[in-house]
Amino acid sequence: DTSLLFTGQEYFDALLGFVERACRTIRIESYIFDLDEVGEKLLALLERKAKEGVKVRVIVDAIGSPAWTSERMESIARAGVRARVFGRPRELFAAGYRMVLRGQFRRAFEILRKIQLRNHRKLVIIDDDVALVGSANIGRQFAEWRETIVVLRGPGVARLR
């Protein structure tokens, strides 16, 4: 079973509804997850669901979601939300620098090359039963954007994990 959403607001409304009804797992992967009132509303709901025993996992991109500081990550972790920031340039530079100091120039180059690798995925999987896949990011500025989001339901959703 599939359906389509066409604006950021439709996506966000559907996302909140699916998260609210989640019973087992919530997985969110988003390039941009702003921590404005829209993102904070979703995070508050995710924290509540984690406290209710739902397994909540979030991955955001370091360049697309720069507001995700260590302090913010620690606060949501205390609520039970496991979150990761993909590809922090500072960490990649530090790792590359360490390799250069050790004389491992090829390895340093391989690490520094990863700076251009970004996680542009926008994927939400709820209870392995519903998935939202498409172009929508999370944040107030995207509410009126024209997007295309496919809502998938059924046993095939688990394969997206």
Side-chain angles (χ1 to χ4, degrees):
D1 183 26
T2 62
S3 58
L4 297 172
L5 306 172
F6 293 106
T7 68
Q9 189 63 52
E10 287 177 357
Y11 168 72
F12 192 67
D13 292 343
L15 176 58
L16 288 176
F18 287 125
V19 168
E20 182 66 49
R21 292 185 297 280
C23 300
R24 298 180 311 275
T25 59
I26 300 167
R27 293 178 176 89
I28 297 177
E29 192 169 0
S30 186
Y31 177 67
I32 299 173
F33 190 135
D34 287 341
L35 295 180
D36 56 14
E37 66 272 9
V38 170
E40 289 294 345
K41 181 177 182 177
L42 177 56
L43 271 183
L45 180 55
L46 293 173
E47 290 173 341
R48 181 169 61 81
K49 295 304 284 189
K51 288 177 183 174
E52 292 173 5
V54 175
K55 183 177 173 182
V56 179
R57 305 292 180 259
V58 178
I59 298 175
V60 298
D61 185 86
I63 301 297
S65 303
W68 283 68
T69 63
S70 299
E71 296 81 19
R72 190 66 180 104
M73 300 281 285
E74 289 170 14
S75 75
I76 64 174
R78 284 191 294 275
V81 175
R82 288 187 51 201
R84 295 188 62 200
V85 176
F86 175 84
R88 291 186 190 266
R90 182 182 313 173
E91 293 169 5
L92 293 171
F93 280 124
Y97 181 71
R98 286 192 300 275
M99 294 298 117
V100 167
L101 291 178
R102 293 180 189 148
Q104 298 174 335
F105 300 107
R106 182 181 178 115
R107 175 124 181 192
F109 175 74
E110 290 170 2
I111 289 171
L112 292 174
R113 209 174 65 156
K114 292 180 181 179
I115 289 172
Q116 57 88 22
L117 296 176
R118 308 294 355 131
N119 180 357
H120 285 276
R121 293 183 194 116
K122 291 106 177 166
L123 172 65
V124 175
I125 303 171
I126 307 290
D127 292 335
D128 291 341
D129 295 324
V130 178
L132 292 89
V133 182
S135 60
N137 290 293
I138 297 167
R140 175 186 62 246
Q141 67 176 331
F142 305 109
E144 299 305 317
W145 283 31
R146 168 61 173 85
E147 304 286 2
T148 302
I149 302 95
V150 179
V151 180
L152 304 168
R153 293 178 181 87
V157 169
R159 297 188 59 100
L160 289 172
R161 256 189 313 150

